[in-house]
Amino acid sequence: MSVNQQAHVGPPYRQPQPGYPGYPQPGYGGQQIPGVPPSQYGAYNGPVTGYQPMGPPQGSLRAPPASGAPPPTSGAPVPPGQPACSQFGQGDVHNGIPAPAVPVQRPSASQQYMLSTASAAVSQPAAFQYASAPTSAQQLTNHMAGMQIGSASTSAPPPAGLGYGPPTSVPPASGSFGATGAGPYASYAGQGPLPHGLPPTSLSQGLPMAQPAVSSPPSALHLPSQAPGFAPPPMSAAAGVSPYSPAAGVSASPMMQGPLPGQATAGLLTSQPNHATSPPPPPPPMGGPPTGPPMQGPLPPTHPSQPRYPLQQNGSFGQNRGPQPNYNAAYSGPANYGSQPGAPPPPKRLDPDSIPSPHLNELPPQQKPRHRIDPDAIPSPIQVIEDDRNNRGSEPFITGVRGQVPPLVTTNFLVKDQGNASPRYIRCTSYNIPCTSDMAKQSQVPLAAVIKPLATLPSEEAPPYLVDHGESGPIRCNRCKAYMCPFMQFIEGGRRFQCCFCSCVTEVPSHYFQHLDHTGRRVDYYDRPELSLGSYEFLATVDYCKNNKFPNPPAFIFMIDVSYNAVRSGLVRLICEELKTLLDYLPREGNMEESAIRVGFVTYNKVLHFYNVKSSLAQPQMMVVCDVADMFVPLLDGFLVNVNESRAVFTSLLDQIPEMFADTRETETVFGPVIQAGMEALKAAECAGKLFIFHTSLPIAEAPGKLKNRDDKKLINTDKEKTLFQPQTSFYSNLAKECVAQGCCVDLFLFPNQYLDVATLGVVPYQTGGSVYKYAYFQVETDQERFLNDLRRDVQKEVGFDAVMRVRTSTGIRATDFFGAFYMSNTTDVELAGLDCDKTITVEFKHDDKLSEDSGALLQCAVLYTSCAGQRRLRIHNLSLNCCTQLADLYRNCETDTLINFLAKFAYRGLLNNPVKTVRDTLINQCAQILACYRKNCASPSSAGQLILPECMKLLPVYLNCVLKSDVLQPGSEVTTDDRSYIRQLVTSMDVAETNVFFYPRLLPLTKVDVNSDSLPTAIRNSEERLSKGDIYLLENGLNIFLWVGVNVQQGLIQNLFGVSSFSQISSSMCALPVLDNPFSKKVQSIIDMFQAQRSRYMKLMIVKQEDKLDLLFKHFLVEDKSLNGGASYVDFLCHMHKEIRQLLS
């Protein structure tokens, strides 16, 4: 943040947080969490600051970012004669209790998120010097004990075991950054921050924790970097678990392995004072082996704006500090940095994370360093989410202004459409795009839009208006065929309009003519949705229909596997019972009394059974097709029927099916012919529609599309791993193409007990715009609720058929790449046999010319589709973006959640053709380039030891690490090939809100619930050290909900929630909570129901008792921790990213 921008107020550490009435946050410091063995994985072990850079890094070398002339950095210019430095010495932590909240404004790009060297932490009061004179470096000795520093430039040889060596224990998984060990993590005893505005002297007197945080003017807030300057204060230190100190430029050391217990150091310690302008002196040693020449170097001038601070040495701790509380020895002055052992570090408490550094056993005992970066000092997703909610949740988001960045997807806000599409329909990775392709290449920020054309709106927002222009149809540009929209410019008194996309001038048809007012705007501007709104629909004319004839209403065909497995598990009976009532809820157009959709039924095993359910029949008739090699539909009349007319007949059929096949011994199934049959039936009825296929096993029966079991775990981490994600035959791709041409969408419900090749079976659903649902080891008792809810929602949701989508852009950029569940026969048209309200299409744009700051850039997404009543419509979404010539403006207007959504889809598609390691390395490299470009061109100068992140992207590392650790890119041994293919396809059409919670799950402490209020407790970060044995937590990721119960939860809570009297009586096999008549039970149930309603799939509830067998599965979702399959912890990954960025910059 810029020094003169106010940040919002956040509670000091260990003060009760909003939403946690009177509950002091535990200092997740070094206490060993009982019952949790120390992890055996090492942490990343960056070159210890102060050692010579080691040889080339392991893994693929990263190319430096392509750069043109570096654009001028933005942000406040440094006054002449003043180094760009911060006011604090190392060891000062600035943990923001910033000034009172002000109206939210987008942080300036120069607001770096500086993570200070040892990530400022909650700890010894003396270490937090808010706007105060530094005390002498003498007290930092023990303060820093055990942390080795020096600089990349000193000539001391690196001690064994401190480079990025191989991991001590477990070899890195493919493409992972070897989880190399970091020293045992000692940690902070989180004490509260100190008031800012006190005189310097009072700070070294160990203030009591509960003192109020006095807010001083923001200019006095500086992140602890090493010398006076512009490391800005944290942007977000508001409600939430951890107001993390550094909030605008993680300054992390190459290892980011920071401070010791009870100590908050500042700025990742490197020898180069952050922000030094003169030759940088090395900082003093932090206890431990002294290393290097004495400090020297000219002193920087004091900060002109704050004359009251005494001069401070430009390297770190000024020599004028008084003794600090809790530290017994004074600093003995700069020592020569040899390798002789220093004083032993003070005793530390261990952390569950305690990890030995690689080769530690080769160091003499007193030299084993310990590193720990305080997790509260690195950017917290929860904090960012809470801040955005507090700042932007109360006001409606009005879309009238070009290039506005919307609130986060996690914020509940209302949208007022005033000319740009709602963010519920379109979200962009950046709302200010570079004017030239050189700038775009230099930044490496992908320019993409995640579009959800039929998104469901909350009830308070009006659905898009339907505009009917009669037989002449919608008004369009003559040249590029863009549709009339708010950005078109009317000229010559309104007789013609100039296209905003291609600048072509088109005559206004006489029936559409209207006069202009004095501003050049048509006088009917507010009466016409297409002139004043960002999203609207046109009724399409017959010219927009296949074969120039209006479509018939669509049909739904239910195709049920009746092989032995499906019948035995009770699945067939369950489906038939449900369909009797479900068919009353088929989707219908607004005010229609009944749905226009017709339905048909097929059952199959090795052969197919078609049913005639014509209303005139007394009993349904069955026709069997055994010739699956040449599929045909044996009847036309009576196969697709109106639900109300044929109710008695198909109810009788659904009663008979489970009985007819009750004694079947047929275990083999076909699959290809089933889809062919459904498609042929739709073709014969001359309509589009959807097949609902319920399938249980690998189709090994002799028939087109027959598959073999090719699952092979040995391929994992080899170059052939990609074949596991590819279909094993081209049959289904060809079939998908035929389905799309017919408007036949396929939704597939899978119930596997073993491998069934989702990568191949999913091809048709995927390419027709359908969905795949998977219920492994299906059991009616435990999975019935989830399956039936998914089926109900899938049948009832809004869906369009036979859809074609095209994205037009203004001159200068064009859509070049598309991601999602669809088919493309050319380079511009996205074809979808079905498009439902949950599907997103992600579009990447590239420059093909220069853009101008004045005119900005425009996108128009047009979707032509058939509604469920058989009406042909066009849905239009328009969005205007800003363009910039300064990289700082790009970085100030990015949206990290959308960026991660795009990067995950890009990576998941890359798996089809590349080894997993290559995909992972590409992701890391691209993100390192994005952050390095920011550091080089936008951040104020500072030492290489600081990791500086743009305010809008400070969560990029934590979210990226979640993508890298996902089962698709880094599977554990228990993850099946089918699971990975399933998730890979699922994520490809997820929207931004879904990927956000999928990669970084939401974790709520239920014991903090206020049963009398509608509000939820503040979420906590996804880390085991945040869990308390006395609490109950709810974790959701969009596919599962876990209810985690600690071993020490109060008996009363257990009784209220589970209806049993003790922890041991809770059954982990429960799949639903008992309905109990008490406020706590009702509140928890209402939270679960609310989560279910927010997600497109019904989430399975799992009860996890601490230290039970499911506990390991639950920990897999604590994504800030190391994962058992080699995934890095957030802290380690941040260090790794820092190392990558430094490498690019050097």
Side-chain angles (χ1 to χ4, degrees), residues 6-18 25 94-102 130 192-196 211-215 221 234-245 383 386-387 390-391:
Q6 299 192 347
H8 6 287
V9 175
Y13 283 100
R14 295 188 60 113
Q15 304 285 64
Q17 307 280 352
Q25 289 293 48
H94 184 67
N95 227 2
I97 309 297
V102 290
Y130 287 111
L194 301 185
H196 310 40
Q211 274 191 273
V214 183
S215 63
L221 295 175
M235 164 106 175
S236 31
V241 198
S242 57
Y244 24 96
S245 67
Q383 189 66 56
E386 284 299 311
D387 288 346
N390 296 336
N391 292 321

Short mmCIF file of all heavy atoms in Angstrom, two decimals, residues 6-18 25 94-102 130 192-196 211-215 221 234-245 383 386-387 390-391:
data_model
loop_
_atom_site.label_atom_id
_atom_site.label_comp_id
_atom_site.label_asym_id
_atom_site.label_seq_id
_atom_site.Cartn_x
_atom_site.Cartn_y
_atom_site.Cartn_z
N GLN A 6 -4.85 5.08 3.65
CA GLN A 6 -5.20 4.49 4.92
C GLN A 6 -5.58 3.05 4.74
O GLN A 6 -6.17 2.67 3.76
CB GLN A 6 -6.39 5.23 5.50
CG GLN A 6 -6.04 6.68 5.73
CD GLN A 6 -7.10 7.33 6.57
OE1 GLN A 6 -8.15 6.77 6.75
NE2 GLN A 6 -6.82 8.46 7.09
N ALA A 7 -5.29 2.26 5.72
CA ALA A 7 -5.73 0.88 5.66
C ALA A 7 -6.82 0.74 6.68
O ALA A 7 -7.03 1.60 7.47
CB ALA A 7 -4.57 -0.01 6.02
N HIS A 8 -7.50 -0.42 6.65
CA HIS A 8 -8.62 -0.49 7.58
C HIS A 8 -8.17 -1.05 8.90
O HIS A 8 -7.21 -1.77 9.00
CB HIS A 8 -9.73 -1.34 7.03
CG HIS A 8 -9.36 -1.98 5.77
ND1 HIS A 8 -9.27 -1.27 4.61
CD2 HIS A 8 -9.01 -3.25 5.49
CE1 HIS A 8 -8.90 -2.07 3.67
NE2 HIS A 8 -8.74 -3.26 4.17
N VAL A 9 -8.98 -0.75 9.89
CA VAL A 9 -8.63 -1.16 11.23
C VAL A 9 -8.86 -2.64 11.39
O VAL A 9 -9.87 -3.17 10.96
CB VAL A 9 -9.56 -0.45 12.20
CG1 VAL A 9 -9.28 -0.97 13.58
CG2 VAL A 9 -9.31 1.02 12.11
N GLY A 10 -7.97 -3.29 12.05
CA GLY A 10 -8.18 -4.69 12.35
C GLY A 10 -7.88 -4.89 13.79
O GLY A 10 -7.16 -4.13 14.40
N PRO A 11 -8.42 -5.92 14.38
CA PRO A 11 -8.17 -6.14 15.79
C PRO A 11 -6.74 -6.56 15.97
O PRO A 11 -6.20 -7.25 15.14
CB PRO A 11 -9.10 -7.30 16.11
CG PRO A 11 -9.35 -7.96 14.80
CD PRO A 11 -9.16 -6.94 13.74
N PRO A 12 -6.13 -6.16 17.08
CA PRO A 12 -4.76 -6.60 17.34
C PRO A 12 -4.75 -8.10 17.54
O PRO A 12 -5.78 -8.69 17.83
CB PRO A 12 -4.39 -5.89 18.63
CG PRO A 12 -5.56 -5.08 19.03
CD PRO A 12 -6.68 -5.28 18.09
N TYR A 13 -3.58 -8.71 17.44
CA TYR A 13 -3.49 -10.13 17.68
C TYR A 13 -4.00 -10.43 19.05
O TYR A 13 -3.78 -9.69 19.98
CB TYR A 13 -2.04 -10.58 17.66
CG TYR A 13 -1.58 -10.67 16.29
CD1 TYR A 13 -0.83 -9.66 15.74
CD2 TYR A 13 -1.94 -11.74 15.51
CE1 TYR A 13 -0.42 -9.74 14.44
CE2 TYR A 13 -1.53 -11.79 14.22
CZ TYR A 13 -0.78 -10.80 13.70
OH TYR A 13 -0.38 -10.88 12.43
N ARG A 14 -4.58 -11.56 19.14
CA ARG A 14 -5.05 -12.10 20.41
C ARG A 14 -6.11 -11.24 21.04
O ARG A 14 -6.41 -11.40 22.18
CB ARG A 14 -3.89 -12.32 21.38
CG ARG A 14 -2.95 -13.38 20.85
CD ARG A 14 -1.93 -13.74 21.85
NE ARG A 14 -2.52 -14.25 23.05
CZ ARG A 14 -2.40 -15.48 23.47
NH1 ARG A 14 -1.71 -16.34 22.77
NH2 ARG A 14 -2.95 -15.88 24.57
N GLN A 15 -6.67 -10.29 20.30
CA GLN A 15 -7.85 -9.61 20.82
C GLN A 15 -9.00 -10.43 20.28
O GLN A 15 -8.88 -11.07 19.26
CB GLN A 15 -7.96 -8.20 20.24
CG GLN A 15 -6.72 -7.38 20.48
CD GLN A 15 -6.64 -6.93 21.90
OE1 GLN A 15 -6.53 -7.77 22.79
NE2 GLN A 15 -6.74 -5.66 22.15
N PRO A 16 -10.13 -10.36 20.95
CA PRO A 16 -11.25 -11.13 20.41
C PRO A 16 -11.53 -10.68 19.00
O PRO A 16 -11.50 -9.50 18.73
CB PRO A 16 -12.40 -10.76 21.33
CG PRO A 16 -11.78 -10.13 22.52
CD PRO A 16 -10.44 -9.63 22.13
N GLN A 17 -11.78 -11.61 18.11
CA GLN A 17 -12.02 -11.25 16.72
C GLN A 17 -13.51 -11.08 16.52
O GLN A 17 -14.29 -11.69 17.21
CB GLN A 17 -11.57 -12.39 15.81
CG GLN A 17 -10.18 -12.82 16.07
CD GLN A 17 -9.23 -11.86 15.40
OE1 GLN A 17 -9.66 -11.02 14.66
NE2 GLN A 17 -7.97 -11.98 15.68
N PRO A 18 -13.88 -10.34 15.51
CA PRO A 18 -15.30 -10.23 15.21
C PRO A 18 -15.79 -11.62 14.91
O PRO A 18 -15.13 -12.36 14.23
CB PRO A 18 -15.35 -9.40 13.93
CG PRO A 18 -13.97 -9.06 13.62
CD PRO A 18 -13.05 -9.62 14.63
N GLN A 25 -7.61 -15.43 20.34
CA GLN A 25 -7.03 -16.35 19.37
C GLN A 25 -5.89 -17.08 20.03
O GLN A 25 -5.07 -16.47 20.68
CB GLN A 25 -6.44 -15.56 18.20
CG GLN A 25 -7.47 -14.98 17.36
CD GLN A 25 -8.21 -16.08 16.68
OE1 GLN A 25 -8.61 -17.04 17.29
NE2 GLN A 25 -8.42 -15.96 15.42
N HIS A 94 5.91 -4.44 11.61
CA HIS A 94 4.85 -3.51 11.56
C HIS A 94 3.63 -4.30 11.25
O HIS A 94 3.45 -4.67 10.15
CB HIS A 94 5.17 -2.60 10.42
CG HIS A 94 4.11 -1.68 10.52
ND1 HIS A 94 3.96 -0.83 11.54
CD2 HIS A 94 3.00 -1.60 9.80
CE1 HIS A 94 2.85 -0.23 11.39
NE2 HIS A 94 2.25 -0.68 10.37
N ASN A 95 2.84 -4.59 12.26
CA ASN A 95 1.75 -5.49 12.07
C ASN A 95 0.50 -4.71 12.06
O ASN A 95 0.01 -4.40 13.09
CB ASN A 95 1.73 -6.38 13.26
CG ASN A 95 1.61 -7.73 12.79
OD1 ASN A 95 1.59 -7.93 11.62
ND2 ASN A 95 1.50 -8.65 13.66
N GLY A 96 -0.08 -4.42 10.98
CA GLY A 96 -0.92 -3.28 10.89
C GLY A 96 -2.11 -3.24 11.78
O GLY A 96 -3.02 -3.98 11.59
N ILE A 97 -2.15 -2.27 12.64
CA ILE A 97 -3.43 -1.83 13.14
C ILE A 97 -3.55 -0.51 12.45
O ILE A 97 -3.10 0.51 12.92
CB ILE A 97 -3.41 -1.57 14.64
CG1 ILE A 97 -2.83 -2.77 15.33
CG2 ILE A 97 -4.80 -1.23 15.09
CD1 ILE A 97 -3.63 -3.99 15.17
N PRO A 98 -4.05 -0.52 11.28
CA PRO A 98 -4.00 0.69 10.51
C PRO A 98 -5.07 1.66 10.94
O PRO A 98 -5.89 1.36 11.78
CB PRO A 98 -4.25 0.22 9.11
CG PRO A 98 -4.49 -1.24 9.22
CD PRO A 98 -4.59 -1.60 10.64
N ALA A 99 -5.05 2.79 10.29
CA ALA A 99 -5.97 3.85 10.62
C ALA A 99 -7.37 3.43 10.25
O ALA A 99 -7.57 2.47 9.57
CB ALA A 99 -5.57 5.06 9.83
N PRO A 100 -8.35 4.23 10.69
CA PRO A 100 -9.74 3.80 10.53
C PRO A 100 -10.08 3.55 9.08
O PRO A 100 -9.49 4.14 8.19
CB PRO A 100 -10.53 4.98 11.05
CG PRO A 100 -9.55 5.87 11.71
CD PRO A 100 -8.20 5.51 11.26
N ALA A 101 -11.08 2.69 8.90
CA ALA A 101 -11.42 2.30 7.53
C ALA A 101 -11.88 3.50 6.74
O ALA A 101 -12.51 4.39 7.24
CB ALA A 101 -12.54 1.29 7.59
N VAL A 102 -11.55 3.48 5.48
CA VAL A 102 -11.96 4.57 4.61
C VAL A 102 -12.67 3.90 3.46
O VAL A 102 -12.59 2.72 3.30
CB VAL A 102 -10.73 5.31 4.08
CG1 VAL A 102 -10.08 6.07 5.19
CG2 VAL A 102 -9.76 4.34 3.46
N TYR A 130 6.26 0.74 16.19
CA TYR A 130 5.43 1.44 15.26
C TYR A 130 5.90 2.85 15.23
O TYR A 130 5.79 3.55 16.19
CB TYR A 130 4.01 1.45 15.73
CG TYR A 130 3.45 0.12 15.55
CD1 TYR A 130 3.14 -0.67 16.62
CD2 TYR A 130 3.25 -0.36 14.27
CE1 TYR A 130 2.63 -1.90 16.42
CE2 TYR A 130 2.73 -1.60 14.09
CZ TYR A 130 2.43 -2.35 15.15
OH TYR A 130 1.91 -3.57 14.95
N GLY A 192 0.14 -9.43 21.45
CA GLY A 192 -0.52 -8.42 20.63
C GLY A 192 0.42 -7.36 20.17
O GLY A 192 1.48 -7.16 20.70
N PRO A 193 -0.01 -6.65 19.19
CA PRO A 193 0.80 -5.60 18.62
C PRO A 193 0.82 -4.43 19.56
O PRO A 193 -0.01 -4.33 20.45
CB PRO A 193 0.04 -5.21 17.37
CG PRO A 193 -1.32 -5.72 17.58
CD PRO A 193 -1.29 -6.79 18.59
N LEU A 194 1.71 -3.53 19.32
CA LEU A 194 1.78 -2.39 20.20
C LEU A 194 1.13 -1.22 19.56
O LEU A 194 1.01 -1.12 18.38
CB LEU A 194 3.25 -2.05 20.38
CG LEU A 194 3.88 -3.27 20.95
CD1 LEU A 194 5.29 -2.98 21.27
CD2 LEU A 194 3.12 -3.65 22.18
N PRO A 195 0.78 -0.29 20.39
CA PRO A 195 0.23 0.94 19.86
C PRO A 195 1.26 1.58 18.99
O PRO A 195 2.44 1.50 19.28
CB PRO A 195 0.04 1.77 21.10
CG PRO A 195 0.25 0.88 22.26
CD PRO A 195 0.86 -0.37 21.81
N HIS A 196 0.78 2.24 17.93
CA HIS A 196 1.75 2.85 17.03
C HIS A 196 2.37 4.10 17.56
O HIS A 196 3.48 4.42 17.34
CB HIS A 196 1.12 3.39 15.76
CG HIS A 196 0.26 2.49 15.07
ND1 HIS A 196 -0.62 1.65 15.67
CD2 HIS A 196 0.13 2.30 13.76
CE1 HIS A 196 -1.27 1.01 14.76
NE2 HIS A 196 -0.84 1.38 13.61
N GLN A 211 -3.06 -3.23 25.49
CA GLN A 211 -3.19 -1.81 25.23
C GLN A 211 -3.91 -1.54 23.94
O GLN A 211 -3.76 -2.26 22.99
CB GLN A 211 -1.81 -1.19 25.18
CG GLN A 211 -1.38 -0.82 26.57
CD GLN A 211 -0.16 0.03 26.52
OE1 GLN A 211 0.89 -0.51 26.48
NE2 GLN A 211 -0.32 1.31 26.48
N PRO A 212 -4.67 -0.46 23.92
CA PRO A 212 -5.42 -0.17 22.71
C PRO A 212 -4.47 0.17 21.61
O PRO A 212 -3.42 0.74 21.85
CB PRO A 212 -6.25 1.05 23.09
CG PRO A 212 -5.49 1.67 24.23
CD PRO A 212 -4.77 0.57 24.93
N ALA A 213 -4.83 -0.15 20.41
CA ALA A 213 -3.98 0.21 19.31
C ALA A 213 -4.28 1.63 18.93
O ALA A 213 -5.34 1.95 18.49
CB ALA A 213 -4.27 -0.68 18.15
N VAL A 214 -3.32 2.48 19.14
CA VAL A 214 -3.54 3.88 18.80
C VAL A 214 -3.28 4.01 17.33
O VAL A 214 -2.27 3.57 16.84
CB VAL A 214 -2.50 4.73 19.52
CG1 VAL A 214 -2.76 6.18 19.25
CG2 VAL A 214 -2.52 4.40 20.99
N SER A 215 -4.20 4.58 16.60
CA SER A 215 -3.88 4.63 15.19
C SER A 215 -3.21 5.94 14.89
O SER A 215 -3.63 6.99 15.32
CB SER A 215 -5.12 4.46 14.35
OG SER A 215 -5.96 5.52 14.61
N LEU A 221 2.95 4.62 9.06
CA LEU A 221 2.98 3.17 9.08
C LEU A 221 3.95 2.67 8.05
O LEU A 221 3.77 2.92 6.88
CB LEU A 221 1.61 2.63 8.72
CG LEU A 221 0.55 2.99 9.73
CD1 LEU A 221 -0.77 2.51 9.22
CD2 LEU A 221 0.87 2.35 11.04
N PRO A 234 0.20 -2.79 5.97
CA PRO A 234 -0.65 -3.85 5.46
C PRO A 234 -1.97 -3.28 5.06
O PRO A 234 -2.52 -2.46 5.75
CB PRO A 234 -0.87 -4.75 6.66
CG PRO A 234 -0.24 -4.08 7.80
CD PRO A 234 0.54 -2.92 7.34
N MET A 235 -2.47 -3.77 3.95
CA MET A 235 -3.76 -3.30 3.50
C MET A 235 -4.80 -3.95 4.36
O MET A 235 -5.78 -3.40 4.70
CB MET A 235 -3.96 -3.77 2.08
CG MET A 235 -5.38 -3.70 1.65
SD MET A 235 -5.51 -2.34 0.57
CE MET A 235 -7.17 -2.50 0.05
N SER A 236 -4.61 -5.24 4.62
CA SER A 236 -5.70 -5.86 5.27
C SER A 236 -5.33 -6.36 6.62
O SER A 236 -4.69 -7.34 6.75
CB SER A 236 -6.16 -7.02 4.45
OG SER A 236 -5.08 -7.55 3.80
N ALA A 237 -5.77 -5.68 7.61
CA ALA A 237 -5.64 -6.23 8.93
C ALA A 237 -6.97 -6.02 9.57
O ALA A 237 -7.08 -5.32 10.51
CB ALA A 237 -4.56 -5.53 9.69
N ALA A 238 -7.99 -6.58 9.03
CA ALA A 238 -9.28 -6.39 9.63
C ALA A 238 -9.72 -7.69 10.24
O ALA A 238 -8.94 -8.57 10.42
CB ALA A 238 -10.26 -5.94 8.59
N ALA A 239 -10.99 -7.79 10.47
CA ALA A 239 -11.48 -8.96 11.15
C ALA A 239 -10.94 -10.18 10.51
O ALA A 239 -10.84 -10.26 9.33
CB ALA A 239 -12.97 -8.99 10.98
N GLY A 240 -10.68 -11.17 11.30
CA GLY A 240 -10.22 -12.38 10.67
C GLY A 240 -9.27 -13.01 11.60
O GLY A 240 -8.98 -12.51 12.65
N VAL A 241 -8.75 -14.11 11.18
CA VAL A 241 -7.94 -14.82 12.11
C VAL A 241 -6.66 -14.13 12.33
O VAL A 241 -6.14 -14.08 13.38
CB VAL A 241 -7.63 -16.18 11.57
CG1 VAL A 241 -7.18 -17.02 12.69
CG2 VAL A 241 -8.85 -16.71 10.93
N SER A 242 -6.06 -13.65 11.30
CA SER A 242 -4.75 -13.13 11.52
C SER A 242 -4.53 -11.89 10.76
O SER A 242 -4.31 -11.93 9.59
CB SER A 242 -3.74 -14.13 11.02
OG SER A 242 -4.05 -14.34 9.69
N PRO A 243 -4.62 -10.77 11.41
CA PRO A 243 -4.24 -9.58 10.65
C PRO A 243 -2.79 -9.81 10.36
O PRO A 243 -2.00 -9.81 11.29
CB PRO A 243 -4.40 -8.47 11.65
CG PRO A 243 -4.89 -9.09 12.90
CD PRO A 243 -4.96 -10.56 12.76
N TYR A 244 -2.40 -10.07 9.14
CA TYR A 244 -1.00 -10.38 8.96
C TYR A 244 -0.30 -9.12 8.80
O TYR A 244 -0.77 -8.20 8.20
CB TYR A 244 -0.68 -11.19 7.74
CG TYR A 244 -1.67 -11.04 6.76
CD1 TYR A 244 -1.58 -10.14 5.72
CD2 TYR A 244 -2.81 -11.81 6.88
CE1 TYR A 244 -2.58 -10.05 4.83
CE2 TYR A 244 -3.76 -11.69 5.98
CZ TYR A 244 -3.65 -10.82 4.98
OH TYR A 244 -4.62 -10.75 4.09
N SER A 245 0.89 -9.12 9.30
CA SER A 245 1.52 -7.87 9.35
C SER A 245 1.79 -7.39 7.98
O SER A 245 1.19 -6.51 7.49
CB SER A 245 2.77 -7.98 10.11
OG SER A 245 3.65 -8.75 9.42
N GLN A 383 -8.17 -13.16 5.66
CA GLN A 383 -8.13 -11.73 5.92
C GLN A 383 -8.59 -10.94 4.69
O GLN A 383 -9.37 -10.00 4.77
CB GLN A 383 -6.67 -11.34 6.24
CG GLN A 383 -6.54 -9.93 6.73
CD GLN A 383 -7.21 -9.78 8.07
OE1 GLN A 383 -6.90 -10.50 9.00
NE2 GLN A 383 -8.13 -8.86 8.17
N GLU A 386 -12.33 -11.35 4.29
CA GLU A 386 -13.07 -10.57 5.28
C GLU A 386 -13.01 -9.07 4.97
O GLU A 386 -14.00 -8.37 5.09
CB GLU A 386 -12.49 -10.82 6.69
CG GLU A 386 -12.90 -12.16 7.27
CD GLU A 386 -14.41 -12.30 7.43
OE1 GLU A 386 -15.05 -11.39 7.98
OE2 GLU A 386 -14.96 -13.32 6.98
N ASP A 387 -11.84 -8.60 4.59
CA ASP A 387 -11.71 -7.17 4.28
C ASP A 387 -12.63 -6.79 3.13
O ASP A 387 -13.27 -5.75 3.15
CB ASP A 387 -10.26 -6.84 3.88
CG ASP A 387 -9.34 -6.89 5.07
OD1 ASP A 387 -9.86 -6.91 6.19
OD2 ASP A 387 -8.12 -6.93 4.89
N ASN A 390 -16.17 -6.66 4.27
CA ASN A 390 -16.47 -5.48 5.09
C ASN A 390 -16.51 -4.21 4.26
O ASN A 390 -17.29 -3.32 4.51
CB ASN A 390 -15.42 -5.33 6.21
CG ASN A 390 -15.47 -6.51 7.17
OD1 ASN A 390 -16.51 -7.16 7.27
ND2 ASN A 390 -14.37 -6.81 7.82
N ASN A 391 -15.63 -4.14 3.26
CA ASN A 391 -15.54 -2.90 2.48
C ASN A 391 -16.54 -2.82 1.34
O ASN A 391 -16.95 -1.75 0.95
CB ASN A 391 -14.14 -2.78 1.87
CG ASN A 391 -13.11 -2.55 2.94
OD1 ASN A 391 -13.36 -1.82 3.89
ND2 ASN A 391 -11.97 -3.18 2.82
#
